[in-house]
mmCIF file of all heavy atoms in Angstrom:
data_model
loop_
_atom_site.group_PDB
_atom_site.id
_atom_site.type_symbol
_atom_site.label_atom_id
_atom_site.label_comp_id
_atom_site.label_asym_id
_atom_site.label_seq_id
_atom_site.Cartn_x
_atom_site.Cartn_y
_atom_site.Cartn_z
ATOM 1 N N ASP A 320 253.907 2.824 52.782
ATOM 2 C CA ASP A 320 254.228 1.596 52.260
ATOM 3 C C ASP A 320 253.500 0.348 52.896
ATOM 4 O O ASP A 320 253.725 -0.755 52.447
ATOM 5 C CB ASP A 320 255.752 1.297 52.440
ATOM 6 C CG ASP A 320 256.542 2.049 51.321
ATOM 7 O OD1 ASP A 320 255.994 2.748 50.436
ATOM 8 O OD2 ASP A 320 257.828 2.249 51.534
ATOM 9 N N ALA A 321 252.660 0.681 53.798
ATOM 10 C CA ALA A 321 251.692 -0.432 54.341
ATOM 11 C C ALA A 321 250.490 0.324 55.074
ATOM 12 O O ALA A 321 250.565 1.496 55.482
ATOM 13 C CB ALA A 321 252.431 -1.204 55.364
ATOM 14 N N GLY A 322 249.294 -0.343 55.104
ATOM 15 C CA GLY A 322 248.240 0.256 55.854
ATOM 16 C C GLY A 322 247.070 -0.682 55.845
ATOM 17 O O GLY A 322 247.013 -1.762 55.096
ATOM 18 N N MET A 323 246.245 -0.429 56.829
ATOM 19 C CA MET A 323 244.815 -1.061 56.872
ATOM 20 C C MET A 323 243.895 0.156 56.825
ATOM 21 O O MET A 323 243.768 0.966 57.886
ATOM 22 C CB MET A 323 244.673 -1.821 58.169
ATOM 23 C CG MET A 323 243.238 -2.116 58.504
ATOM 24 S SD MET A 323 242.491 -3.434 57.430
ATOM 25 C CE MET A 323 243.078 -4.952 58.268
ATOM 26 N N ILE A 324 243.090 0.275 55.812
ATOM 27 C CA ILE A 324 242.405 1.509 55.446
ATOM 28 C C ILE A 324 240.931 1.043 55.100
ATOM 29 O O ILE A 324 240.693 0.784 53.952
ATOM 30 C CB ILE A 324 242.942 2.379 54.492
ATOM 31 C CG1 ILE A 324 244.516 2.752 54.735
ATOM 32 C CG2 ILE A 324 242.320 3.664 54.331
ATOM 33 C CD1 ILE A 324 244.840 3.458 55.921
ATOM 34 N N THR A 325 240.020 1.194 55.989
ATOM 35 C CA THR A 325 238.578 0.856 55.791
ATOM 36 C C THR A 325 237.647 1.836 56.181
ATOM 37 O O THR A 325 236.501 1.737 56.040
ATOM 38 C CB THR A 325 238.268 -0.581 56.360
ATOM 39 O OG1 THR A 325 238.276 -0.373 57.786
ATOM 40 C CG2 THR A 325 239.185 -1.622 55.922
ATOM 41 N N SER A 326 238.121 3.033 56.776
ATOM 42 C CA SER A 326 237.214 3.941 57.347
ATOM 43 C C SER A 326 237.642 5.389 56.915
ATOM 44 O O SER A 326 237.606 6.346 57.666
ATOM 45 C CB SER A 326 236.912 3.895 58.861
ATOM 46 O OG SER A 326 238.159 4.012 59.448
ATOM 47 N N GLN A 327 238.199 5.496 55.634
ATOM 48 C CA GLN A 327 238.803 6.724 55.266
ATOM 49 C C GLN A 327 237.853 7.765 54.704
ATOM 50 O O GLN A 327 236.783 7.499 54.226
ATOM 51 C CB GLN A 327 239.888 6.416 54.228
ATOM 52 C CG GLN A 327 239.368 5.929 52.874
ATOM 53 C CD GLN A 327 239.091 4.363 52.793
ATOM 54 O OE1 GLN A 327 238.556 3.861 53.693
ATOM 55 N NE2 GLN A 327 239.619 3.835 51.729
ATOM 56 N N ALA A 328 238.312 9.021 54.808
ATOM 57 C CA ALA A 328 237.502 10.103 54.274
ATOM 58 C C ALA A 328 237.865 10.396 52.760
ATOM 59 O O ALA A 328 238.659 11.281 52.498
ATOM 60 C CB ALA A 328 237.715 11.361 55.013
ATOM 61 N N ASP A 329 237.353 9.488 51.875
ATOM 62 C CA ASP A 329 237.569 9.645 50.425
ATOM 63 C C ASP A 329 239.040 9.657 49.948
ATOM 64 O O ASP A 329 239.404 10.571 49.205
ATOM 65 C CB ASP A 329 236.784 10.925 49.975
ATOM 66 C CG ASP A 329 236.587 10.895 48.386
ATOM 67 O OD1 ASP A 329 236.675 9.879 47.858
ATOM 68 O OD2 ASP A 329 236.167 11.976 47.838
ATOM 69 N N TRP A 330 239.813 8.730 50.397
ATOM 70 C CA TRP A 330 241.100 8.410 49.758
ATOM 71 C C TRP A 330 241.341 6.876 49.690
ATOM 72 O O TRP A 330 240.716 6.174 50.401
ATOM 73 C CB TRP A 330 242.198 9.190 50.471
ATOM 74 C CG TRP A 330 242.394 8.787 51.927
ATOM 75 C CD1 TRP A 330 241.875 9.204 52.999
ATOM 76 C CD2 TRP A 330 243.520 7.849 52.351
ATOM 77 N NE1 TRP A 330 242.362 8.553 54.027
ATOM 78 C CE2 TRP A 330 243.420 7.698 53.667
ATOM 79 C CE3 TRP A 330 244.576 7.133 51.685
ATOM 80 C CZ2 TRP A 330 244.224 6.962 54.554
ATOM 81 C CZ3 TRP A 330 245.330 6.377 52.439
ATOM 82 C CH2 TRP A 330 245.280 6.241 53.804
ATOM 83 N N SER A 331 242.270 6.559 48.878
ATOM 84 C CA SER A 331 242.462 5.073 48.604
ATOM 85 C C SER A 331 243.846 4.563 48.891
ATOM 86 O O SER A 331 244.788 5.152 48.405
ATOM 87 C CB SER A 331 242.127 4.850 47.155
ATOM 88 O OG SER A 331 242.525 3.467 46.734
ATOM 89 N N LEU A 332 243.950 3.644 49.772
ATOM 90 C CA LEU A 332 245.276 3.009 50.009
ATOM 91 C C LEU A 332 245.790 2.344 48.781
ATOM 92 O O LEU A 332 247.010 2.491 48.415
ATOM 93 C CB LEU A 332 245.196 1.956 51.018
ATOM 94 C CG LEU A 332 246.433 1.179 51.447
ATOM 95 C CD1 LEU A 332 247.532 2.092 51.980
ATOM 96 C CD2 LEU A 332 246.154 -0.075 52.234
ATOM 97 N N ASP A 333 244.922 1.795 48.037
ATOM 98 C CA ASP A 333 245.395 0.988 46.752
ATOM 99 C C ASP A 333 246.051 1.991 45.745
ATOM 100 O O ASP A 333 246.937 1.736 45.069
ATOM 101 C CB ASP A 333 244.200 0.345 46.015
ATOM 102 C CG ASP A 333 244.713 -0.681 45.115
ATOM 103 O OD1 ASP A 333 245.667 -1.448 45.305
ATOM 104 O OD2 ASP A 333 243.991 -0.892 44.077
ATOM 105 N N PHE A 334 245.491 3.275 45.774
ATOM 106 C CA PHE A 334 246.073 4.349 44.905
ATOM 107 C C PHE A 334 247.340 4.912 45.613
ATOM 108 O O PHE A 334 248.313 5.210 44.872
ATOM 109 C CB PHE A 334 245.074 5.487 44.742
ATOM 110 C CG PHE A 334 245.491 6.588 43.785
ATOM 111 C CD1 PHE A 334 245.401 6.168 42.513
ATOM 112 C CD2 PHE A 334 245.833 7.773 44.284
ATOM 113 C CE1 PHE A 334 245.963 7.335 41.547
ATOM 114 C CE2 PHE A 334 246.317 8.860 43.399
ATOM 115 C CZ PHE A 334 246.234 8.472 42.037
ATOM 116 N N ASP A 335 247.288 5.178 46.877
ATOM 117 C CA ASP A 335 248.388 5.839 47.555
ATOM 118 C C ASP A 335 249.675 5.036 47.978
ATOM 119 O O ASP A 335 250.665 5.534 48.283
ATOM 120 C CB ASP A 335 247.888 6.619 48.733
ATOM 121 C CG ASP A 335 246.999 7.781 48.472
ATOM 122 O OD1 ASP A 335 246.857 8.087 47.265
ATOM 123 O OD2 ASP A 335 246.468 8.407 49.467
ATOM 124 N N ILE A 336 249.394 3.714 48.013
ATOM 125 C CA ILE A 336 250.474 2.771 48.381
ATOM 126 C C ILE A 336 251.735 3.127 47.666
ATOM 127 O O ILE A 336 251.798 3.155 46.430
ATOM 128 C CB ILE A 336 250.068 1.393 48.308
ATOM 129 C CG1 ILE A 336 251.099 0.519 49.066
ATOM 130 C CG2 ILE A 336 249.891 0.887 46.867
ATOM 131 C CD1 ILE A 336 250.764 0.224 50.465
ATOM 132 N N GLY A 337 252.818 3.266 48.350
ATOM 133 C CA GLY A 337 254.145 3.606 47.749
ATOM 134 C C GLY A 337 254.373 5.026 47.385
ATOM 135 O O GLY A 337 255.502 5.372 46.982
ATOM 136 N N MET A 338 253.402 5.968 47.734
ATOM 137 C CA MET A 338 253.592 7.392 47.483
ATOM 138 C C MET A 338 254.346 8.020 48.649
ATOM 139 O O MET A 338 254.375 7.549 49.862
ATOM 140 C CB MET A 338 252.195 8.052 47.320
ATOM 141 C CG MET A 338 251.587 7.871 46.053
ATOM 142 S SD MET A 338 250.037 8.902 45.838
ATOM 143 C CE MET A 338 249.470 8.495 44.281
#
Side-chain angles (χ1 to χ4, degrees):
D320 286 347
M323 168 71 86
I324 310 294
T325 66
S326 57
Q327 68 272 50
D329 199 12
W330 64 278
S331 169
L332 175 67
D333 197 37
F334 184 78
D335 286 358
I336 191 91
M338 286 189 179

